[in-house]
Amino acid sequence: MSTPLYDALNSYAAKKTLRFHMPGHKGKFLPGPGLEALAAVDVTELPGTGNLYEAGEPFDSTQGLWAELFGFDHCQFLTGGSTMGIHTGLALCAQPGSKVLIDRACHRAVFHALALLDLEPVYLERTWRKEDNLIGSILPEDVKKKLDQNPDIKTVCITSPTYAGMLSDIREISHMVHAYGGKLFVDGAHGAHLFFLGNRLDWDVDALVVSAHKTLPAMGQSALLFTNWMEVDRVRQMASVYGSSSPSYPMMASLDTARQWLVEGGRFGYVRASKRVAQLRERFPSVRDGDSLDPCRFVLKVKDGPAFGGQLREQGIFPEMEDSGHVVFICTAQDNEEDFDRLEAVLETLEDGMGDCIPIPPPPLPKRVLSPRNALFAASRRRSLDQCEGEISACQIAPYPPGVPVVVPGEQIGKKELAYLREIGYNMQSEVRVIGGEPNGMGK
C-alpha cells in the first residue's frame, strides 16, 4: 500500500510524543462519538509530516502519485474544495486585469475570482437542450468564434461536467485554445470519478480542478488541482494565498487513501454504478445523451421537483438536489446493489409524478454596467426581486432550471430579465442584493 502521507501521520501517532503544539486536542480527545479516532492523525506541520505549501516529503510523493495517475505534471492538494482550486487556477492562468472567456454557467467561485483578480469576462453561452430544459455542452466552434472576435483573450475557463452531468469536448477545446496561444482552465469539480470510467481528464489542459469529496471516498472539502507546464513552486504559492495556513491533515490523508483504494480495485465500483444508472435511465424518464453525459449522474425528469423531492425524503432517500423539473442523484462506487434496488423500488411508486416539466426558454443576456470587481466590493442592500427593475445586481440570480445565472454581479436587472424569471416561476418575493446603500455592508 503506497500512502506516503497517511503512513507519516500514523508513524507520528505511534510514537506517543508529548504534543506541545497545535491542534489543541493534542491527539487525545475530540468530543463526540465518531470523531475521536481522527485526533491521533490530526496534526500540524512537523518534521516528518511536511508542509503542503513547500517542497519535501511526504507531500512530494503523495501528490506525485495523483499527478502520475491523472497524467499531469503536478497535483496540488486542496482543503478548501474546488472553490480554492478555482481561485488558485485562475490566478495561475490569467494576468490580473486581463480579459477571459468564461462559461456563463460557471460556479459562483469563478465570479468571485473575476472580482478578486479584476478580470474582464467575455461570456461563452452553452447550447440549450429544449427536450430536457437544461443547458448542454460547450461547442468547440463557439469557443473558436469567441476567440476570433476577441484575439486578446489568453485564458478560457469552462465547466465540465455540469451539475446535471453534461460533458464538453475538452480535447478539441484545449487544442483550439492552445492554437490561439491561450491557456485552458477546466472546472471539473463534479468529475473526479470520470477518469476511472475511461474518460480522460488530461487532454492538454493547463489546469484542472476536481472535488474529490463530491464523488470519491474522500472527506468533505478535499479537492485536487492538477497543472501542466507551470512552475510547481508558483502553484504552491498561489494555493497558499487562497487556502488556510493550517490545512486539515485528516482531509489530505483521505486523499492519499482514496487514491490507493481506487488503484487497488475500488475504481471498478464506478463501472458497476454506471451500469445501474444506465438501467435507471432506461426505466424512468431522465436526461440521456450517451458519451456526452456523466455515466454516474442520474437526472430524473419530474413534473414538480420540490414536491417529488419531498416524497423521496419521506421515504428516507435524499437526492443531491431538485429544481422545478428535475431531481439529481449523484451515484458513486459506494452505492451498492441494495441501494440501487431500494431507489428503484421507491421510484416505481412515484411514477405518476414523473415526466417533462413546463418548457422554458434559455435565459436572456443582461446589460453589463459594472465590472465584477466593482460590483462585489460596492456598497449593496437587500431588496425584493419584484421591485428591482433598473437596479444593478450585486449577486448572482441563478434559478434551477436552467442552472445558468440570469443575472450576475454588475449586470442590470431589466424588464426582460424579470419577465423571464416570472415565466419560469421564480419566487419574485425573494430578496436579492443590489448596488447601493451604506458602505462596508451596513445597508439593510
Side-chain angles (χ1 to χ4, degrees), residues 66 77-78 212 218 222-224 250-259:
W66 269 108
F77 282 8
L78 308 169
S222 58
L224 303 159
M251 265 191 224
M252 297 185 289
S254 77
L255 291 170
D256 204 12
T257 56
R259 176 198 48 76

Side-chain angles (χ1 to χ4, degrees), residues 214-216 269-270 272-273 296 330-336 340:
K214 282 182 168 64
T215 58
L216 303 182
Y270 291 94
R272 174 185 51 75
C296 286
I330 295 180
C331 304
T332 76
Q334 306 312 311
D335 297 306
N336 58 36
F340 281 111

